[in-house]
Amino acid sequence: PTRTRPHNVVVRAIVAKLIFTMFKIRKSQYRHVFCDAPKQENCHTGFRLSTVTGDQQYIKASAKYFAVALFGGGGVVYVGRHDRPGRFVQGATPTLHGHHGAILDFEWNPFDDSMLATASEDTTIKIWSIPEEWEPIDARGVNKAGSDIKESMVDLVGHAKKVNLLRFHPTASNVLASTSSDYTVKLWDIEAGQELSTFDDMQDLCQDIVWDYKGDNFATSCKDKAVRFVDARASKVSGKIVQAHDGLKGVKVVYMGESGKVLTTGHSRASGREVKIWDLKNLEQPLHTEKIDTAAGVLMPMYDVDTDVIYLCGKGDGNVRTCEFENKKPYFHKLGDGFRSTTALKGVCQVPKRGLNIMKCETSRLLKVTNEGWVQPLSFYVPRKSDAFQTDIFPNTASANPAHTAEEWWGGSSKLPELESLNPTKQGAQNGVAKKKFQSVGTLTANLKKAETRIRYLEGKLDASGISYDK
């Protein structure tokens, strides 16, 4: 006769399987990511910041520089270098200024670490070029004598009211989106200095605007609680979340790479902060809702599209929560303890991957603005024993070369971002395309006068020699 297994043995096997299933550890390269408290000597201090009402980040960074708006007339912006921490001294440290009203937002060109766009209450947008030798604070952290930047390269005029938000296109060169209190979104070709289109199907103030991964569409969140998905070239709404979150606070939006999913942050009806994941193919209900806490500040998500790690930063509190997105249920996973601090966060931005210390396994760096006027670098590391380049935690990232021109994109070109390796041994041998240099109107005018003077001189020489020429 066939011998049957004892009942208790079968039960134990089933229980063991259930326990394994329930407590199965999800594999992630970033599970142990950590951030130590920044040292004072690595911080930028002494700022009296212009933090106007709204949900702006108050700080933006390229791979080389960061910018913060300062309190005072004339729209003053301080542009600092990441590798030059120190104390800003009002009236002594060189700054950038040229607007007639306060600066409300600014944005670095993803394909030019020295090109900055600024938006102002005076209804204009200005494009600036930071000189290669720009160094307002030296290697010792002391003010360095120098001239202010007063002349912009391009002025963009078209909005009827103050300009609130700016976002550069992620794949096309020199395409900029702007939102205004006139309830419009304008797209600009900054190289040509002209407006491409206007989207005016918003009934309230825009709180956030983001491009999708290719830059074919953008999304806006507004004070009416709606999130609109817009065909960028046609300026037509292609989808809409009627009410993303029930609370009254601002809503932030992030496209989750090429997954076809979107993340929003906001407040519930009970004023609790929450994160929702949506499917662009069905915007009726969220795929997942994650309750975070009951704090009052706006939750700002900093998303690393290369690694799918999300850094949730809450205005008014000092904690940065680390999470990971996965394109399947449950979509949202918490990672470790993140960063904890008692120093409240006023604004935050993410430094591009090209500006990180890759060989020390720095996978992300956030710049945190505090209420005391400090800018603190928060460096997140994945612990590794090897000194070699870690290919598993540093996938290829967006390069400093555009995938197409503004004209090509506007004509219908749709391309993924150009990627490059972060391996230091491979950098320099790739993406060696020469970039076209902008010249301001003042520079072009001066060059033209110089050329005309030279022409008149040469014409005089020809006349004196009796040589005929076409005049």
Side-chain angles (χ1 to χ4, degrees):
T2 304
R3 182 176 295 178
T4 59
R5 300 177 68 187
H7 176 72
N8 60 337
V9 175
V10 175
V11 170
R12 282 199 299 268
I14 294 173
V15 171
K17 187 174 181 179
L18 286 172
I19 291 173
F20 178 79
T21 302
M22 290 172 62
F23 295 97
K24 183 180 179 182
I25 296 175
R26 176 178 166 271
K27 185 178 180 181
S28 172
Q29 305 292 349
Y30 309 97
R31 174 174 295 278
H32 302 292
V33 65
F34 71 94
C35 175
D36 291 328
K39 296 180 180 178
Q40 182 173 341
E41 59 264 29
N42 295 327
C43 297
H44 308 263
T45 65
F47 302 114
R48 189 184 178 193
L49 299 173
S50 173
T51 50
V52 293
T53 55
D55 298 326
Q56 284 86 344
Q57 293 176 237
Y58 302 134
I59 185 169
K60 297 285 183 69
S62 70
K64 184 177 181 180
Y65 302 106
F66 72 91
V68 290
L70 302 178
F71 181 82
V76 182
V77 175
Y78 172 74
V79 176
R81 284 174 45 171
H82 296 305
D83 60 347
R84 294 291 186 268
R87 182 171 182 80
F88 174 85
V89 178
Q90 183 72 35
T93 308
T95 58
L96 176 154
H97 52 89
H99 282 283
H100 299 295
I103 301 291
L104 301 183
D105 197 21
F106 33 85
E107 182 84 344
W108 292 96
N109 190 329
F111 310 116
D112 187 342
D113 290 332
S114 299
M115 184 182 293
L116 179 69
T118 56
S120 173
E121 283 185 343
D122 64 14
T123 75
T124 68
I125 301 163
K126 290 180 181 287
I127 310 299
W128 309 81
S129 179
I130 309 304
E132 186 66 30
E133 66 278 5
W134 181 256
E135 191 182 29
I137 293 178
D138 64 20
R140 300 171 298 160
V142 179
N143 286 284
K144 191 174 180 179
S147 301
D148 290 353
I149 301 174
K150 302 177 182 179
E151 184 184 337
S152 59
M153 296 189 297
V154 180
D155 291 356
L156 304 174
V157 181
H159 281 294
K161 294 184 178 180
K162 61 184 181 182
V163 186
N164 298 313
L165 298 171
L166 297 175
R167 298 291 185 270
F168 268 106
H169 196 280
T171 63
S173 61
N174 302 319
V175 174
L176 181 69
S178 62
T179 73
S180 167
S181 294
D182 61 12
Y183 301 166
T184 66
V185 176
K186 290 184 181 293
L187 301 185
W188 307 85
D189 179 345
I190 64 172
E191 187 172 0
Q194 64 183 20
E195 180 184 322
L196 292 173
S197 66
T198 298
F199 170 70
D200 57 5
D201 192 12
M202 294 190 297
Q203 283 75 49
D204 215 326
L205 189 67
C206 183
Q207 296 174 327
D208 197 14
I209 178 170
V210 291
W211 291 95
D212 70 6
Y213 190 56
K214 287 185 176 180
D216 293 331
N217 307 278
F218 61 81
T220 64
S221 64
C222 295
K223 209 170 180 180
D224 62 4
K225 301 184 182 181
V227 175
R228 295 169 177 84
F229 300 92
V230 182
D231 183 318
R233 300 179 189 87
S235 293
K236 299 293 184 183
V237 175
S238 58
K240 182 178 179 180
I241 302 173
V242 177
Q243 186 163 317
H245 298 270
D246 296 329
L248 300 176
K249 297 286 185 175
V251 173
K252 297 298 181 182
V253 188
V254 179
Y255 280 96
M256 308 308 286
E258 293 187 274
S259 67
K261 307 298 187 298
V262 170
L263 177 148
T264 62
T265 65
H267 282 71
S268 65
R269 193 183 303 275
S271 298
R273 294 196 293 195
E274 60 187 12
V275 174
K276 292 185 179 182
I277 306 291
W278 306 79
D279 189 341
L280 286 169
K281 295 178 181 178
N282 181 9
L283 298 170
E284 294 298 320
Q285 294 292 332
L287 295 171
H288 177 75
T289 299
E290 185 79 18
K291 303 296 182 182
I292 304 300
D293 57 24
T294 57
V298 172
L299 203 57
M300 294 186 291
M302 301 287 114
Y303 174 55
D304 183 348
V305 68
D306 303 327
T307 64
D308 283 325
V309 176
I310 308 159
Y311 303 86
L312 292 176
C313 309
K315 283 199 172 187
D317 61 66
N319 300 334
V320 177
R321 297 166 177 83
T322 51
C323 317
E324 191 170 10
F325 168 76
E326 188 176 24
N327 195 20
K328 62 181 182 181
K329 289 184 179 180
Y331 300 104
F332 192 84
H333 304 275
K334 294 181 180 179
L335 298 174
D337 294 329
F339 173 74
R340 296 182 181 276
S341 170
T342 57
T343 303
L345 179 147
K346 185 75 174 177
V348 68
C349 74
Q350 199 166 16
V351 177
K353 284 285 186 67
R354 293 177 288 106
L356 304 185
N357 192 335
I358 300 301
M359 298 312 292
K360 287 192 175 181
C361 295
E362 185 186 18
T363 55
S364 183
R365 188 189 307 159
L366 307 181
L367 297 183
K368 170 184 173 180
V369 176
T370 72
N371 291 326
E372 293 75 28
W374 284 41
V375 173
Q376 299 177 334
L378 304 182
S379 293
F380 289 82
Y381 298 94
V382 172
R384 290 292 169 89
K385 293 181 180 179
S386 174
D387 293 331
F389 175 71
Q390 305 293 311
T391 56
D392 59 328
I393 61 173
F394 290 112
N396 289 351
T397 191
S399 76
N401 289 320
H404 39 196
T405 65
E407 185 178 0
E408 290 169 342
W409 174 77
W410 187 246
S413 174
S414 177
K415 294 182 179 180
L416 294 169
E418 293 282 338
L419 301 180
E420 69 176 357
S421 171
L422 287 167
N423 190 338
T425 62
K426 294 183 179 180
Q427 290 178 348
Q430 56 188 3
N431 302 323
V433 180
K435 290 184 172 61
K436 184 185 292 185
K437 291 292 183 182
F438 268 59
Q439 288 187 316
S440 67
V441 174
T443 301
L444 291 172
T445 302
N447 290 341
L448 178 60
K449 288 182 178 179
K450 186 177 179 180
E452 288 174 342
T453 301
R454 179 65 176 170
I455 290 170
R456 287 194 295 269
Y457 169 76
L458 293 174
E459 286 179 342
K461 287 287 188 180
L462 292 173
D463 290 338
S465 301
I467 301 174
S468 61
Y469 57 93
D470 294 332
K471 294 186 178 181

